[in-house]
Amino acid sequence: TSRWHDDYNYFKNSVKDLEVMYTNVLNTAFDGVAHVADGIALLEIFYALAKRDAIQRCVEKKTVDVYLLFIHQVESARHEFDENRRNPPLRANEPQFAGSALWAKSLASMVTDSWHLIQDAKYLKQSRETEEAASAYNVLMQVLNEFETARYHAWIEALQALDSSNLHARLENPLMRRASAEDAVATSLITKGKNSYLECNFDQSLLALFTEVHYWEKFQGEFAIPYVAHDICNQREKLRVMREHVMRVVRAYNNILSDLAPDERRLFNDHIRRLDKRINQGLTKLTWASKNIVEFYVKDCCAHCAETHSIVKRFKDGKDGIARNCRFVSSVLLLKIDKNVLYDEGVFEQKQANHRRYIKQRF
């Protein structure tokens, strides 16, 4: 009978030791938790094993910490939004309106993913922090949704300012144009007159419109695309292919001019003039609404550019060869004298004769 009390006390002490060890394991597991998803995963494990009152209290405390972690995430997202809402951190290829709306949506998406994890964890006990987390989440979502809607309405206003009834008329621009003086300075293409560099002349506002529509489509129907924009964007892929083909002509022509120094171009005036006659239709008559551009005009211009460029390359290769030989000739010594050597009669003359024969063979 006396041993029973001793064994029972030993059992109670052992259980308390296990509680302490379990609590230490729980606290240690949460030490490195910095994301709500990690905290929820750990809580799911420990909630299933929390049977003792002390362990349950510890798990409930960690539940509060996860809610506080979520509230901190919401506050960080709100701070980032407030800091950058006037100038969102867009990449170079992202449009002004849809890009900023997607940026706000990305902030909302990160917070929403964490909130859904919390909502799906039905075993979490409700507390004051639960209400605070829900309130902070709802406020943030309202602010971000209002921002997205405002950017959408701003884009609609900008689209109307483009004279939306006449968007198709913007396809009547010529295919190419000569680089302006400002463009030449900006790109170090210092050429004037007829033989200046070419540029693709596709309307920049249409390019911006295509990009805006592409990014608004990522909202999966949340924001409607106006009919006039949707109508012209049906030609987006066809026009993209045309731009790529026109750029083949632009690059081929500009490569010819780039390979020639300004004083060398006078030697090729006739060739460039004939090439300009072939290309001139794309600067004056042919537009983005014209048909058979790729099949006839682009193919013909690329062929003549390749022919002219081959002539330029032969000239440059010959010029490089002449310069290389001139450097070789300037480096060759026609007289060979060894230092600190006394020559017998006739030896010096014979040695110089042999050296001259060797140099002649090299020439």
Side-chain angles (χ1 to χ4, degrees), residues 3-85:
R3 288 194 59 186
W4 184 90
H5 292 285
D6 294 337
D7 291 340
Y8 185 70
N9 288 331
Y10 178 78
F11 172 74
K12 288 195 301 181
N13 293 332
S14 298
V15 170
K16 289 181 180 180
D17 291 340
L18 286 174
E19 285 184 1
V20 173
M21 287 189 288
Y22 192 91
T23 304
N24 290 336
V25 169
L26 195 154
N27 291 327
T28 303
F30 274 88
D31 283 346
V33 171
H35 303 284
V36 174
D38 298 336
I40 293 295
L42 289 174
L43 285 176
E44 184 176 1
I45 297 171
F46 289 115
Y47 255 110
L49 300 174
K51 304 301 181 182
R52 306 282 295 179
D53 292 340
I55 298 175
Q56 288 178 351
R57 287 193 298 271
C58 186
V59 172
E60 290 171 4
K61 181 179 181 300
K62 295 303 177 184
T63 302
V64 171
D65 292 343
V66 169
Y67 278 119
L68 293 176
L69 187 63
F70 174 75
I71 293 173
H72 177 70
Q73 182 183 4
V74 172
E75 292 174 348
S76 297
R78 180 60 186 269
H79 177 72
E80 181 179 353
F81 173 74
D82 291 337
E83 287 287 321
N84 299 289
R85 65 182 303 170

Coordinates of all heavy atoms in Angstrom, one line a residue, residues 3-85:
R3 N 3.8 1.7 -1.3 CA 4.5 1.8 -2.6 C 3.5 2.4 -3.6 O 4.0 3.1 -4.5 CB 5.0 0.5 -3.1 CG 6.2 0.0 -2.3 CD 6.9 -1.1 -3.0 NE 7.4 -0.7 -4.3 CZ 7.9 -1.4 -5.2 NH1 8.1 -2.7 -4.9 NH2 8.3 -0.9 -6.3
W4 N 2.2 2.2 -3.4 CA 1.3 2.7 -4.4 C 1.4 4.3 -4.4 O 1.4 4.9 -5.5 CB -0.1 2.3 -4.1 CG -1.1 2.7 -5.1 CD1 -1.5 2.1 -6.2 CD2 -1.9 3.9 -5.1 NE1 -2.5 2.8 -6.9 CE2 -2.7 4.0 -6.2 CE3 -1.9 5.0 -4.2 CZ2 -3.6 5.0 -6.5 CZ3 -2.8 6.1 -4.5 CH2 -3.6 6.1 -5.6
H5 N 1.4 4.9 -3.3 CA 1.5 6.3 -3.2 C 2.8 6.8 -3.8 O 2.8 7.9 -4.5 CB 1.4 6.8 -1.7 CG 0.0 6.6 -1.1 ND1 -1.1 7.3 -1.4 CD2 -0.4 5.6 -0.2 CE1 -2.1 6.9 -0.8 NE2 -1.7 5.9 0.0
D6 N 3.9 6.1 -3.6 CA 5.2 6.5 -4.2 C 5.1 6.4 -5.7 O 5.6 7.3 -6.4 CB 6.3 5.6 -3.6 CG 6.5 5.8 -2.1 OD1 6.1 6.9 -1.6 OD2 7.1 4.9 -1.5
D7 N 4.5 5.3 -6.2 CA 4.4 5.2 -7.6 C 3.5 6.2 -8.2 O 3.8 6.8 -9.3 CB 3.9 3.8 -8.0 CG 4.9 2.7 -7.6 OD1 6.1 3.0 -7.5 OD2 4.5 1.5 -7.5
Y8 N 2.5 6.5 -7.6 CA 1.5 7.6 -8.1 C 2.2 8.9 -8.2 O 2.1 9.7 -9.1 CB 0.3 7.6 -7.3 CG -0.8 8.5 -7.8 CD1 -1.5 8.2 -9.0 CD2 -1.1 9.7 -7.2 CE1 -2.4 9.1 -9.5 CE2 -2.0 10.6 -7.7 CZ -2.7 10.2 -8.8 OH -3.6 11.1 -9.4
N9 N 2.9 9.3 -7.1 CA 3.6 10.5 -7.1 C 4.7 10.6 -8.2 O 4.9 11.6 -8.9 CB 4.3 10.8 -5.7 CG 3.3 11.1 -4.7 OD1 2.2 11.7 -5.0 ND2 3.6 10.7 -3.4
Y10 N 5.4 9.5 -8.4 CA 6.4 9.4 -9.5 C 5.7 9.6 -10.8 O 6.2 10.3 -11.7 CB 7.1 8.0 -9.4 CG 8.1 7.8 -10.5 CD1 9.3 8.4 -10.4 CD2 7.8 7.0 -11.6 CE1 10.3 8.3 -11.4 CE2 8.7 6.9 -12.6 CZ 10.0 7.5 -12.5 OH 10.9 7.3 -13.5
F11 N 4.5 9.0 -11.0 CA 3.8 9.1 -12.2 C 3.4 10.6 -12.5 O 3.5 11.1 -13.6 CB 2.5 8.2 -12.2 CG 1.6 8.4 -13.4 CD1 1.9 7.9 -14.6 CD2 0.4 9.1 -13.2 CE1 1.1 8.1 -15.7 CE2 -0.5 9.3 -14.2 CZ -0.1 8.8 -15.5
K12 N 2.8 11.2 -11.4 CA 2.4 12.6 -11.6 C 3.6 13.5 -12.0 O 3.5 14.4 -12.8 CB 1.8 13.1 -10.3 CG 0.4 12.6 -10.0 CD -0.3 13.4 -8.9 CE 0.5 13.4 -7.6 NZ -0.2 14.2 -6.6
N13 N 4.7 13.3 -11.3 CA 5.9 14.1 -11.6 C 6.4 13.9 -13.0 O 6.9 14.8 -13.7 CB 7.0 13.8 -10.6 CG 6.7 14.3 -9.2 OD1 5.9 15.2 -9.0 ND2 7.2 13.6 -8.2
S14 N 6.3 12.6 -13.5 CA 6.7 12.3 -14.8 C 5.8 13.0 -15.9 O 6.3 13.5 -16.9 CB 6.7 10.8 -15.0 OG 7.6 10.1 -14.2
V15 N 4.5 13.0 -15.6 CA 3.6 13.6 -16.5 C 3.9 15.1 -16.5 O 3.8 15.7 -17.6 CB 2.1 13.4 -16.1 CG1 1.1 14.2 -16.8 CG2 1.8 11.9 -16.2
K16 N 4.1 15.7 -15.4 CA 4.5 17.2 -15.4 C 5.8 17.4 -16.2 O 5.9 18.4 -16.9 CB 4.6 17.7 -14.0 CG 3.3 17.7 -13.2 CD 3.5 18.3 -11.8 CE 2.2 18.3 -11.0 NZ 2.4 18.8 -9.6
D17 N 6.7 16.5 -16.0 CA 8.0 16.7 -16.8 C 7.7 16.6 -18.3 O 8.2 17.4 -19.1 CB 9.0 15.6 -16.4 CG 9.5 15.8 -15.0 OD1 9.4 17.0 -14.5 OD2 10.0 14.8 -14.4
L18 N 6.8 15.7 -18.7 CA 6.4 15.6 -20.1 C 5.7 16.8 -20.6 O 5.9 17.3 -21.7 CB 5.5 14.3 -20.3 CG 6.2 13.0 -20.2 CD1 5.2 11.9 -20.3 CD2 7.2 12.8 -21.4
E19 N 4.9 17.4 -19.7 CA 4.2 18.6 -20.1 C 5.2 19.8 -20.4 O 5.1 20.5 -21.3 CB 3.2 19.1 -19.0 CG 2.0 18.3 -18.9 CD 1.0 18.8 -17.9 OE1 1.4 19.8 -17.2 OE2 -0.1 18.2 -17.7
V20 N 6.2 19.9 -19.5 CA 7.2 20.9 -19.6 C 8.0 20.7 -20.9 O 8.3 21.6 -21.7 CB 8.2 20.9 -18.4 CG1 9.3 21.8 -18.6 CG2 7.4 21.3 -17.1
M21 N 8.4 19.4 -21.1 CA 9.2 19.1 -22.3 C 8.3 19.4 -23.6 O 8.8 19.9 -24.6 CB 9.6 17.6 -22.3 CG 10.8 17.4 -21.3 SD 11.5 15.7 -21.5 CE 10.1 14.7 -20.8
Y22 N 7.1 19.0 -23.6 CA 6.2 19.2 -24.7 C 6.0 20.7 -25.0 O 6.1 21.2 -26.1 CB 4.8 18.6 -24.5 CG 4.0 18.5 -25.7 CD1 4.0 17.4 -26.6 CD2 3.1 19.6 -26.0 CE1 3.2 17.4 -27.7 CE2 2.3 19.5 -27.2 CZ 2.4 18.4 -28.0 OH 1.6 18.4 -29.1
T23 N 5.8 21.5 -23.9 CA 5.7 22.9 -24.0 C 7.0 23.6 -24.6 O 6.9 24.5 -25.4 CB 5.4 23.6 -22.6 OG1 4.2 22.9 -22.1 CG2 5.2 25.0 -22.8
N24 N 8.1 23.1 -24.1 CA 9.4 23.6 -24.7 C 9.5 23.3 -26.2 O 10.0 24.1 -26.9 CB 10.6 23.0 -23.9 CG 10.6 23.5 -22.5 OD1 10.2 24.6 -22.2 ND2 11.3 22.7 -21.6
V25 N 9.1 22.0 -26.5 CA 9.2 21.7 -28.0 C 8.3 22.6 -28.8 O 8.6 23.1 -29.9 CB 8.8 20.2 -28.2 CG1 8.5 19.9 -29.6 CG2 9.8 19.3 -27.6
L26 N 7.1 22.9 -28.2 CA 6.1 23.8 -28.9 C 6.7 25.2 -29.1 O 6.6 25.8 -30.2 CB 4.8 23.8 -28.1 CG 3.6 24.3 -28.8 CD1 2.3 23.7 -28.2 CD2 3.5 25.9 -28.7
N27 N 7.3 25.7 -28.0 CA 7.8 27.1 -28.1 C 9.0 27.1 -29.0 O 9.2 28.1 -29.8 CB 8.3 27.5 -26.7 CG 7.1 27.8 -25.8 OD1 6.0 28.2 -26.2 ND2 7.3 27.5 -24.5
T28 N 9.8 26.1 -29.0 CA 11.0 26.0 -29.9 C 10.5 26.0 -31.4 O 11.1 26.6 -32.2 CB 11.9 24.8 -29.6 OG1 12.3 24.9 -28.2 CG2 13.1 24.8 -30.5
A29 N 9.5 25.2 -31.6 CA 9.0 25.1 -33.0 C 8.5 26.4 -33.6 O 8.6 26.7 -34.8 CB 7.9 24.0 -33.0
F30 N 8.0 27.3 -32.7 CA 7.5 28.5 -33.2 C 8.5 29.6 -33.2 O 8.2 30.8 -33.6 CB 6.3 29.0 -32.3 CG 5.0 28.4 -32.7 CD1 4.5 27.2 -32.2 CD2 4.2 29.1 -33.6 CE1 3.3 26.7 -32.6 CE2 3.0 28.6 -34.0 CZ 2.5 27.3 -33.5
D31 N 9.7 29.3 -32.7 CA 10.8 30.4 -32.7 C 11.1 30.9 -34.1 O 11.3 32.1 -34.2 CB 12.0 29.8 -32.1 CG 11.9 29.8 -30.5 OD1 11.0 30.4 -30.0 OD2 12.7 29.1 -29.9
G32 N 11.1 30.1 -35.1 CA 11.5 30.5 -36.4 C 10.4 30.9 -37.3 O 10.6 31.0 -38.6
V33 N 9.2 30.9 -36.8 CA 8.0 31.1 -37.7 C 7.9 32.6 -38.0 O 7.8 33.5 -37.1 CB 6.7 30.6 -37.0 CG1 5.5 31.1 -37.7 CG2 6.7 29.1 -36.8
A34 N 7.9 32.9 -39.3 CA 7.8 34.3 -39.8 C 6.6 34.5 -40.7 O 6.3 35.6 -41.1 CB 9.1 34.7 -40.5
H35 N 5.9 33.4 -41.1 CA 4.8 33.4 -42.0 C 3.6 32.8 -41.4 O 3.7 31.8 -40.7 CB 5.2 32.8 -43.4 CG 6.4 33.4 -44.0 ND1 6.4 34.6 -44.7 CD2 7.7 32.9 -44.1 CE1 7.6 34.8 -45.1 NE2 8.4 33.9 -44.8
V36 N 2.4 33.3 -41.8 CA 1.2 32.7 -41.3 C 1.0 31.3 -41.7 O 0.6 30.4 -40.9 CB 0.0 33.6 -41.8 CG1 -1.3 32.9 -41.3 CG2 0.1 35.0 -41.2
A37 N 1.4 30.9 -42.9 CA 1.2 29.5 -43.4 C 2.0 28.6 -42.5 O 1.5 27.5 -42.2 CB 1.7 29.4 -44.8
D38 N 3.2 28.9 -42.1 CA 4.0 28.1 -41.3 C 3.4 27.9 -39.9 O 3.4 26.8 -39.3 CB 5.4 28.6 -41.1 CG 6.2 28.7 -42.5 OD1 5.8 27.9 -43.4 OD2 7.1 29.5 -42.6
G39 N 2.9 29.0 -39.4 CA 2.2 29.0 -38.0 C 1.0 28.1 -38.0 O 0.8 27.3 -37.1
I40 N 0.2 28.2 -39.1 CA -1.0 27.4 -39.2 C -0.7 25.9 -39.3 O -1.3 25.0 -38.7 CB -1.9 27.8 -40.4 CG1 -2.4 29.3 -40.2 CG2 -3.0 26.9 -40.7 CD1 -3.4 29.4 -39.1
A41 N 0.4 25.6 -40.1 CA 0.8 24.2 -40.2 C 1.2 23.6 -38.9 O 0.8 22.5 -38.5 CB 1.9 24.1 -41.2
L42 N 1.9 24.4 -38.1 CA 2.3 23.9 -36.7 C 1.1 23.8 -35.8 O 1.0 22.8 -35.0 CB 3.4 24.8 -36.2 CG 4.8 24.8 -36.8 CD1 5.7 25.9 -36.2 CD2 5.4 23.4 -36.6
L43 N 0.2 24.8 -35.8 CA -0.9 24.7 -35.0 C -1.8 23.5 -35.2 O -2.4 22.9 -34.3 CB -1.8 26.0 -35.1 CG -1.2 27.3 -34.5 CD1 -2.1 28.4 -34.8 CD2 -1.1 27.1 -33.0
E44 N -1.9 23.1 -36.5 CA -2.7 21.9 -36.9 C -2.1 20.7 -36.2 O -2.9 19.8 -35.8 CB -2.7 21.8 -38.4 CG -3.6 20.6 -38.8 CD -3.7 20.6 -40.4 OE1 -3.1 21.4 -41.0 OE2 -4.4 19.7 -40.8
I45 N -0.8 20.6 -36.1 CA -0.2 19.5 -35.5 C -0.4 19.5 -34.0 O -0.8 18.5 -33.4 CB 1.3 19.5 -35.8 CG1 1.6 19.3 -37.3 CG2 2.1 18.4 -35.1 CD1 3.0 19.5 -37.8
F46 N -0.1 20.6 -33.3 CA -0.1 20.7 -31.9 C -1.6 20.7 -31.3 O -1.8 20.2 -30.2 CB 0.6 21.9 -31.4 CG 2.1 21.8 -31.6 CD1 2.8 22.6 -32.4 CD2 2.8 20.8 -30.9 CE1 4.2 22.5 -32.6 CE2 4.2 20.7 -31.0 CZ 4.9 21.5 -31.9
Y47 N -2.5 21.2 -32.1 CA -3.9 21.2 -31.6 C -4.4 19.7 -31.5 O -5.1 19.4 -30.5 CB -4.8 21.9 -32.6 CG -5.3 23.3 -32.0 CD1 -4.8 24.5 -32.6 CD2 -6.2 23.4 -31.0 CE1 -5.2 25.7 -32.1 CE2 -6.5 24.6 -30.5 CZ -6.1 25.8 -31.0 OH -6.4 27.0 -30.5
A48 N -4.0 18.9 -32.4 CA -4.4 17.5 -32.3 C -3.9 16.7 -31.1 O -4.4 15.8 -30.7 CB -4.1 16.8 -33.6
L49 N -2.7 17.2 -30.6 CA -2.0 16.5 -29.5 C -2.2 17.2 -28.2 O -1.7 16.7 -27.2 CB -0.5 16.4 -29.8 CG -0.2 15.7 -31.1 CD1 1.3 15.8 -31.4 CD2 -0.6 14.2 -31.0
A50 N -2.9 18.4 -28.2 CA -3.0 19.2 -27.0 C -4.2 18.6 -26.1 O -5.4 18.9 -26.4 CB -3.2 20.6 -27.3
K51 N -3.9 17.8 -25.1 CA -4.9 17.2 -24.3 C -4.9 17.7 -22.8 O -5.9 17.8 -22.2 CB -4.8 15.7 -24.2 CG -4.8 15.0 -25.6 CD -6.1 15.3 -26.3 CE -6.1 14.6 -27.7 NZ -7.4 14.9 -28.4
R52 N -3.7 18.1 -22.4 CA -3.5 18.6 -21.0 C -3.8 20.1 -21.0 O -3.6 20.9 -22.0 CB -2.1 18.4 -20.5 CG -1.7 16.9 -20.6 CD -2.2 16.1 -19.5 NE -1.7 16.6 -18.2 CZ -2.0 16.0 -17.0 NH1 -2.9 15.0 -17.0 NH2 -1.5 16.5 -15.9
D53 N -4.3 20.6 -19.9 CA -4.7 22.0 -19.8 C -3.5 23.0 -20.0 O -3.7 24.0 -20.7 CB -5.3 22.3 -18.4 CG -6.6 21.6 -18.1 OD1 -7.3 21.3 -19.2 OD2 -7.0 21.5 -17.0
A54 N -2.4 22.6 -19.5 CA -1.2 23.5 -19.7 C -0.8 23.6 -21.1 O -0.4 24.7 -21.7 CB 0.0 23.0 -18.8
I55 N -0.9 22.4 -21.8 CA -0.5 22.4 -23.2 C -1.6 23.1 -24.0 O -1.2 23.9 -25.0 CB -0.4 20.9 -23.7 CG1 0.8 20.3 -22.9 CG2 -0.1 20.9 -25.2 CD1 0.9 18.8 -23.2
Q56 N -2.8 23.0 -23.7 CA -3.9 23.7 -24.4 C -3.7 25.2 -24.3 O -3.9 26.0 -25.3 CB -5.2 23.3 -23.9 CG -5.6 21.9 -24.3 CD -7.0 21.4 -23.8 OE1 -7.5 22.1 -22.9 NE2 -7.4 20.3 -24.2
R57 N -3.4 25.7 -23.1 CA -3.1 27.1 -22.9 C -2.0 27.6 -23.7 O -2.0 28.7 -24.3 CB -2.9 27.4 -21.4 CG -4.2 27.3 -20.5 CD -3.9 27.9 -19.1 NE -2.9 27.2 -18.4 CZ -3.1 26.2 -17.6 NH1 -4.3 25.7 -17.5 NH2 -2.1 25.6 -17.0
C58 N -0.9 26.8 -23.8 CA 0.2 27.2 -24.6 C -0.1 27.3 -26.1 O 0.3 28.2 -26.8 CB 1.4 26.2 -24.4 SG 2.9 26.6 -25.2
V59 N -0.9 26.3 -26.6 CA -1.3 26.3 -28.0 C -2.2 27.5 -28.3 O -2.1 28.2 -29.3 CB -2.0 25.0 -28.3 CG1 -2.7 25.1 -29.7 CG2 -1.1 23.8 -28.3
E60 N -3.1 27.8 -27.3 CA -4.0 29.0 -27.5 C -3.1 30.3 -27.5 O -3.5 31.2 -28.3 CB -5.0 29.1 -26.3 CG -6.0 28.0 -26.4 CD -6.9 27.9 -25.2 OE1 -6.7 28.8 -24.3 OE2 -7.8 27.0 -25.1
K61 N -2.1 30.3 -26.8 CA -1.2 31.5 -26.8 C -0.5 31.6 -28.2 O -0.4 32.7 -28.7 CB -0.2 31.4 -25.7 CG 0.8 32.6 -25.6 CD 1.8 32.5 -24.5 CE 2.7 33.7 -24.4 NZ 3.5 33.9 -25.7
K62 N -0.1 30.5 -28.7 CA 0.5 30.5 -30.0 C -0.5 30.9 -31.1 O -0.2 31.5 -32.1 CB 1.2 29.2 -30.3 CG 2.3 28.8 -29.4 CD 3.4 29.9 -29.5 CE 4.6 29.7 -28.5 NZ 5.5 30.8 -28.5
T63 N -1.8 30.5 -30.9 CA -2.8 30.9 -31.8 C -3.0 32.4 -31.9 O -3.1 33.0 -32.9 CB -4.2 30.2 -31.4 OG1 -4.0 28.8 -31.3 CG2 -5.3 30.6 -32.4
V64 N -2.9 33.0 -30.7 CA -3.0 34.5 -30.6 C -1.8 35.1 -31.4 O -1.9 36.1 -32.1 CB -3.0 34.9 -29.2 CG1 -2.8 36.5 -29.1 CG2 -4.3 34.5 -28.5
D65 N -0.6 34.4 -31.2 CA 0.6 34.9 -31.9 C 0.5 34.8 -33.4 O 0.9 35.7 -34.2 CB 1.8 34.1 -31.5 CG 2.2 34.4 -30.0 OD1 1.8 35.4 -29.5 OD2 3.0 33.6 -29.4
V66 N -0.2 33.8 -33.9 CA -0.4 33.7 -35.4 C -1.4 34.8 -35.8 O -1.2 35.4 -36.9 CB -1.0 32.3 -35.7 CG1 -1.5 32.2 -37.1 CG2 0.1 31.2 -35.4
Y67 N -2.4 35.0 -35.1 CA -3.3 36.2 -35.4 C -2.5 37.5 -35.5 O -2.7 38.3 -36.4 CB -4.5 36.2 -34.4 CG -5.6 35.3 -34.7 CD1 -6.0 34.3 -33.8 CD2 -6.3 35.3 -35.9 CE1 -7.0 33.4 -34.1 CE2 -7.3 34.5 -36.2 CZ -7.7 33.5 -35.3 OH -8.7 32.6 -35.6
L68 N -1.7 37.7 -34.5 CA -0.9 38.9 -34.4 C 0.1 39.0 -35.6 O 0.3 40.0 -36.2 CB -0.1 39.0 -33.1 CG -0.9 39.2 -31.9 CD1 -0.1 39.1 -30.6 CD2 -1.7 40.5 -31.9
L69 N 0.6 37.8 -36.0 CA 1.5 37.7 -37.2 C 0.7 38.1 -38.5 O 1.2 38.9 -39.3 CB 2.1 36.3 -37.3 CG 3.1 36.1 -38.4 CD1 4.4 37.0 -38.1 CD2 3.5 34.6 -38.5
F70 N -0.5 37.7 -38.5 CA -1.4 38.0 -39.7 C -1.7 39.5 -39.7 O -1.6 40.2 -40.7 CB -2.7 37.2 -39.7 CG -3.6 37.7 -40.7 CD1 -3.4 37.3 -42.1 CD2 -4.7 38.4 -40.4 CE1 -4.3 37.7 -43.0 CE2 -5.6 38.8 -41.4 CZ -5.4 38.5 -42.7
I71 N -2.0 40.1 -38.5 CA -2.3 41.5 -38.4 C -1.0 42.3 -38.8 O -1.1 43.3 -39.5 CB -2.7 41.9 -37.0 CG1 -4.0 41.2 -36.7 CG2 -2.8 43.4 -36.8 CD1 -4.5 41.4 -35.2
H72 N 0.2 41.8 -38.4 CA 1.4 42.5 -38.9 C 1.6 42.4 -40.4 O 2.0 43.4 -41.0 CB 2.6 41.9 -38.1 CG 3.9 42.4 -38.6 ND1 4.3 43.7 -38.2 CD2 4.9 41.9 -39.3 CE1 5.5 43.9 -38.7 NE2 5.9 42.8 -39.4
Q73 N 1.2 41.3 -41.0 CA 1.3 41.2 -42.4 C 0.4 42.2 -43.1 O 0.7 42.8 -44.1 CB 1.0 39.8 -42.9 CG 1.1 39.5 -44.4 CD 0.7 38.1 -44.8 OE1 0.2 37.3 -44.0 NE2 0.8 37.8 -46.1
V74 N -0.8 42.3 -42.6 CA -1.8 43.3 -43.1 C -1.2 44.7 -43.0 O -1.3 45.5 -44.0 CB -3.1 43.2 -42.4 CG1 -4.1 44.3 -42.8 CG2 -3.8 41.8 -42.7
E75 N -0.7 45.0 -41.9 CA -0.1 46.4 -41.7 C 1.1 46.6 -42.6 O 1.2 47.7 -43.1 CB 0.3 46.5 -40.2 CG -0.8 46.6 -39.2 CD -0.4 46.6 -37.8 OE1 0.9 46.3 -37.6 OE2 -1.2 46.8 -36.9
S76 N 1.9 45.6 -42.8 CA 3.0 45.8 -43.8 C 2.5 46.0 -45.2 O 3.1 46.9 -45.9 CB 3.9 44.5 -43.7 OG 4.5 44.4 -42.4
A77 N 1.5 45.3 -45.6 CA 0.9 45.5 -46.9 C 0.3 46.8 -47.1 O 0.5 47.5 -48.1 CB -0.1 44.4 -47.2
R78 N -0.4 47.3 -46.0 CA -1.0 48.6 -46.1 C 0.1 49.7 -46.1 O 0.0 50.7 -46.8 CB -1.9 48.8 -44.8 CG -2.6 50.2 -44.8 CD -3.5 50.4 -46.0 NE -4.1 51.7 -46.0 CZ -5.2 52.0 -45.4 NH1 -5.9 51.1 -44.8 NH2 -5.7 53.3 -45.5
H79 N 1.2 49.5 -45.4 CA 2.3 50.5 -45.4 C 2.9 50.6 -46.8 O 3.2 51.7 -47.3 CB 3.3 50.1 -44.3 CG 4.5 51.0 -44.3 ND1 4.5 52.3 -43.8 CD2 5.8 50.8 -44.7 CE1 5.6 52.9 -44.0 NE2 6.5 52.0 -44.5
E80 N 3.1 49.4 -47.4 CA 3.7 49.4 -48.7 C 2.8 50.1 -49.7 O 3.3 50.8 -50.6 CB 4.0 47.9 -49.1 CG 4.7 47.8 -50.5 CD 5.0 46.4 -50.9 OE1 4.8 45.5 -50.1 OE2 5.4 46.2 -52.1
F81 N 1.5 49.8 -49.6 CA 0.6 50.4 -50.5 C 0.5 51.9 -50.3 O 0.6 52.7 -51.3 CB -0.8 49.8 -50.2 CG -1.9 50.5 -51.0 CD1 -2.1 50.3 -52.4 CD2 -2.8 51.4 -50.4 CE1 -3.1 50.9 -53.1 CE2 -3.8 52.0 -51.1 CZ -3.9 51.8 -52.4
D82 N 0.5 52.4 -49.1 CA 0.4 53.9 -48.9 C 1.7 54.6 -49.3 O 1.7 55.7 -49.8 CB 0.2 54.1 -47.4 CG -1.2 53.7 -46.9 OD1 -2.1 53.7 -47.7 OD2 -1.3 53.5 -45.7
E83 N 2.9 53.9 -49.2 CA 4.1 54.4 -49.6 C 4.2 54.6 -51.2 O 4.9 55.5 -51.7 CB 5.3 53.6 -49.1 CG 5.5 53.7 -47.6 CD 6.2 55.1 -47.3 OE1 7.0 55.5 -48.0 OE2 5.8 55.6 -46.2
N84 N 3.6 53.6 -51.9 CA 3.8 53.6 -53.4 C 2.6 53.8 -54.2 O 2.6 53.6 -55.4 CB 4.4 52.2 -53.7 CG 5.7 51.9 -53.0 OD1 6.7 52.5 -53.4 ND2 5.7 51.0 -52.1
R85 N 1.5 54.1 -53.6 CA 0.2 54.2 -54.4 C 0.3 55.3 -55.4 O -0.3 55.2 -56.5 CB -1.0 54.5 -53.4 CG -1.0 55.8 -52.7 CD -2.2 55.9 -51.8 NE -3.4 55.8 -52.5 CZ -4.6 55.6 -52.0 NH1 -4.7 55.6 -50.6 NH2 -5.7 55.5 -52.7

